[in-house]
Amino acid sequence: MKNNVKITRIKASITQEQLARKVGVTRQTIGLIEKGEYNPSLQLCVAIAKELNRTLDELFWEVD
């Protein structure tokens, strides 16, 4: 799944480790989400969006 998590996280000056701790997952999970190799649960998507101060659409909606 393509997403904007990595770009948004970098713009917010947050490391993968910091984001992972805030949302209760491992750094590896954040890395896999950013690469599109892991589809997070809706609960995790919401937690990431809240931490990055973005909407779900801004982070996870694919625009063709």
Side-chain angles (χ1 to χ4, degrees):
M1 166 171 42
K2 189 174 179 180
N3 62 67
N4 295 312
V5 174
K6 183 175 183 176
I7 294 166
T8 305
R9 177 183 58 75
I10 291 170
K11 285 181 180 178
S13 300
I14 299 173
T15 66
Q16 286 183 341
E17 183 67 33
Q18 290 169 327
L19 180 57
R21 283 187 191 151
K22 289 180 179 185
V23 300
V25 297
T26 65
R27 180 195 55 77
Q28 290 84 355
T29 299
I30 297 298
L32 290 172
I33 291 168
E34 290 179 350
K35 289 194 281 185
E37 296 177 6
Y38 178 81
N39 288 326
S41 67
L42 181 56
Q43 182 179 0
L44 181 52
C45 288
V46 169
I48 292 169
K50 283 183 179 180
E51 286 300 326
L52 295 176
N53 200 29
R54 294 288 185 263
T55 66
L56 290 175
D57 284 353
E58 289 172 327
L59 290 179
F60 296 103
W61 190 258
E62 288 188 43
V63 177
D64 295 328

